[in-house]
Amino acid sequence: MSPRVFTRLRPPSRAEKGALNQLYAAVQPQARSGQFIGPDGRNESKGYPTLVQPAESAKNLDTARRLWDLSERLTGVRYGLPD
């Protein structure tokens, strides 16, 4: 008698689940530029990807510019985006 091989579906690992929001945003036809994709769970701290409302601090253009400039400086990569 041959042994039976059982496979079970396993939940995604933390790393796999952590990448779901970015993957969803990249491949979902309904996703649009400027939207925020995040977990659907309580306080958007875990769960599966869905459209979420950004925090007020995420809408601050001055903070966005400073973060972009710092990222370019720390990585040494410049994209030459218009101001």
Side-chain angles (χ1 to χ4, degrees):
M1 179 174 208
S2 65
R4 292 185 180 182
V5 177
F6 291 98
T7 60
R8 77 180 170 101
L9 296 175
R10 63 176 176 78
S13 72
R14 287 185 187 185
E16 291 167 339
K17 198 157 189 182
L20 287 179
N21 297 325
Q22 290 81 1
L23 291 171
Y24 179 93
V27 301
Q28 190 67 326
Q30 295 87 348
R32 299 287 176 252
S33 177
Q35 291 180 326
F36 281 69
I37 307 297
D40 63 359
R42 185 174 179 214
N43 296 323
E44 298 171 7
S45 61
K46 60 183 177 179
Y48 289 92
T50 190
L51 185 62
V52 297
Q53 292 300 314
E56 285 302 313
S57 58
K59 299 175 188 178
N60 185 303
L61 296 180
D62 183 53
T63 301
R65 172 52 63 190
R66 289 190 347 253
L67 175 59
W68 189 266
D69 291 342
L70 177 63
S71 299
E72 285 187 333
R73 194 167 62 246
L74 291 174
T75 62
V77 177
R78 292 201 37 86
Y79 289 95
L81 298 175
D83 290 327

